[in-house]
Amino acid sequence: MSTTIQPLFRSPWVQGIKDAIPLLGGYIPVAISFGLISMQSGFSVLETILISTFIYAGASQFLFVAMVASGAPLWLVVVMTLLINARHVVYGPNIAPYLDKDSRWVLLMHGLTDQIFALAHARLPQLPSEARIGWYTGAAVLAWFSWIGGTALGAIAGGELTQRWPMINDILPFALPALFLVLIIPRCNNPLWALTIAASAIGALTLKVLGFPNIAIPAAAICGAVVFYALKNQRIATGY
Amino acid sequence: MNTSLWIALVCITLGTYFIRVLPYLWMKQKLAKSQNNGAISNMPTWLTVLGPTMIAAMFGTSLVPAHPDTLSWVATAVGTLTTFLVWTRTRSMGWPILIGVMVFGVITLWFLRKTTRQI
């Protein structure tokens, strides 16, 4: 994929939905698991669906129901869930240069999850500026509805579903690493960026395997940025 | 849920939304200001580096299988390699993901069937 602007052959909304379809492979199984775990933690179907509708951030939702179920103080629940979501602070500024002055963007930021950011960061620069809000709305709304729908499914029939079709949990989630790979690989077009991307990816994988899933993404991203600046400074110092 | 739990939910909802929207508004204002001053509207370099490294980190964490046994790692490695090879040919999004998931699924099911037969 390139960063040159490409003409759209269908409506921006439809293109956004089409581009976001691979996300469903990752969203729906995780949402079903969340629905199931939330019910087991003592929340009702309606409460479970409302948590997914309003918080709309996977890891922090799991932490929220787990901490509430374990009887943790509520102020600590709020602080910990917001800390997990703190990585989202870099997403808005990164896509801001591609967004026009339309005030609807302020509301649409509710849908700026990890995956929608990754998709938007790669696709928005390729779209004509007038098509971007339609494209983003299509992609973000599909992802949001699939998250809410998956949660409802998990809350109502999660146990039976995962027993009858184990592939929901075993196979479909591979769509996420495949999506991230095709989004990030065009960036590896020179040794500096290839090493930076590799350092971030390997760092995150290692941290998650070692049992630190919640800090893996921000810590590995910072580690990748350190590698970027170290290599860049070295290049400047050696004159290359 | 009792009232205090609802209040906690509202705080997390608003907090998460503000974490997403306020930095966007800050950058928008910064870009508009530099445009008004006739300067070239540039983002801080560290932010342009953190965007791609965040996506790379998401890729890294998503590679770890839910049940990290040898089968899952092998299926993940072959699925990732397939996705990459298809991408080098098509330079698109849809086909590499679809074929990558299919190869990952075939390996997973093949291993599962083999293991079930042995049992």
Side-chain angles (χ1 to χ4, degrees):
Chain A
M1 289 190 292
S2 68
T3 51
T4 49
I5 291 179
Q6 299 160 356
L8 279 180
F9 298 107
R10 47 174 71 88
S11 111
W13 257 81
V14 177
Q15 186 63 46
I17 289 173
K18 186 175 170 269
D19 287 347
I21 285 173
L23 292 181
L24 304 190
Y27 268 46
I28 293 175
V30 179
I32 289 174
S33 306
F34 173 72
L36 192 62
I37 288 168
S38 178
M39 292 293 287
Q40 288 166 352
S41 304
F43 292 90
S44 71
V45 174
L46 181 66
E47 288 162 355
T48 300
I49 293 170
L50 288 178
I51 292 170
S52 271
T53 307
F54 294 125
I55 299 183
Y56 188 34
S60 64
Q61 287 182 215
F62 280 98
L63 187 72
F64 174 76
V65 294
M67 286 185 82
V68 169
S70 70
L74 285 181
W75 66 267
L76 189 63
V77 176
V78 174
V79 170
M80 290 307 291
T81 48
L82 291 180
L83 267 180
I84 286 186
N85 293 337
R87 67 182 184 280
H88 292 194
V89 291
V90 300
Y91 297 169
N94 259 287
I95 60 168
Y98 308 114
L99 313 183
D100 59 20
K101 287 179 180 162
D102 197 314
S103 58
R104 285 174 294 176
W105 282 114
V106 174
L107 279 179
L108 287 168
M109 286 297 126
H110 176 59
L112 193 62
T113 58
D114 295 326
Q115 295 78 7
I116 288 294
F117 163 69
L119 197 58
H121 191 261
R123 289 290 280 135
L124 286 176
Q126 301 170 339
L127 299 170
S129 60
E130 67 279 4
R132 287 173 185 162
I133 194 160
W135 178 90
Y136 181 94
T137 309
V141 166
L142 177 74
W144 191 36
F145 282 0
S146 74
W147 183 251
I148 298 168
T151 301
L153 211 59
I156 295 162
E160 199 182 327
L161 268 176
T162 48
Q163 249 180 359
R164 190 172 290 187
W165 291 295
M167 66 169 277
I168 290 177
N169 273 340
D170 293 335
I171 296 170
L172 290 183
F174 186 75
L176 270 192
L179 172 70
F180 289 136
L181 180 67
V182 298
L183 291 177
I184 200 62
I185 207 76
R187 263 284 182 181
C188 304
N189 52 6
N190 62 52
L192 175 64
W193 270 108
L195 286 168
T196 302
I197 299 297
S200 307
I202 294 168
L205 188 144
T206 310
L207 281 170
K208 192 167 177 191
V209 168
L210 291 176
F212 304 102
N214 292 330
I215 61 153
I217 292 174
I222 292 168
C223 166
V226 169
V227 169
F228 177 88
Y229 280 108
L231 291 173
K232 205 176 163 193
N233 290 340
Q234 197 185 22
R235 267 196 343 190
I236 292 167
T238 52
Y240 286 101
Chain B
M1 290 202 302
N2 57 32
T3 314
S4 50
L5 208 49
W6 280 110
I7 293 170
L9 179 63
V10 169
C11 289
I12 296 166
T13 301
L14 289 177
T16 303
Y17 175 65
F18 288 144
I19 285 171
R20 288 170 180 165
V21 78
L22 292 180
Y24 155 73
L25 291 172
W26 165 75
M27 180 53 69
K28 215 57 199 159
Q29 207 174 19
K30 190 175 150 70
L31 292 173
K33 212 181 269 179
S34 58
Q35 262 175 352
N36 288 342
N37 295 338
I40 301 165
S41 48
N42 274 336
M43 277 208 296
T45 318
W46 61 269
L47 256 180
T48 61
V49 176
L50 268 183
T53 58
M54 279 281 196
I55 301 170
M58 288 178 218
F59 168 62
T61 55
S62 66
L63 281 175
V64 182
H67 312 289
D69 49 21
T70 314
L71 146 72
S72 307
W73 281 113
V74 170
T76 302
V78 178
T80 306
L81 189 66
T82 307
T83 307
F84 174 70
L85 291 175
V86 177
W87 177 82
T88 56
R89 288 191 76 89
T90 63
R91 304 270 161 167
S92 65
M93 263 177 58
W95 285 110
I97 296 170
L98 182 70
I99 296 172
V101 171
M102 279 168 62
V103 168
F104 176 85
V106 166
I107 295 173
T108 306
L109 291 176
W110 183 72
F111 267 104
L112 276 178
R113 198 168 289 175
K114 212 176 154 187
T115 319
T116 317
R117 261 190 216 156
Q118 279 170 354
I119 294 168

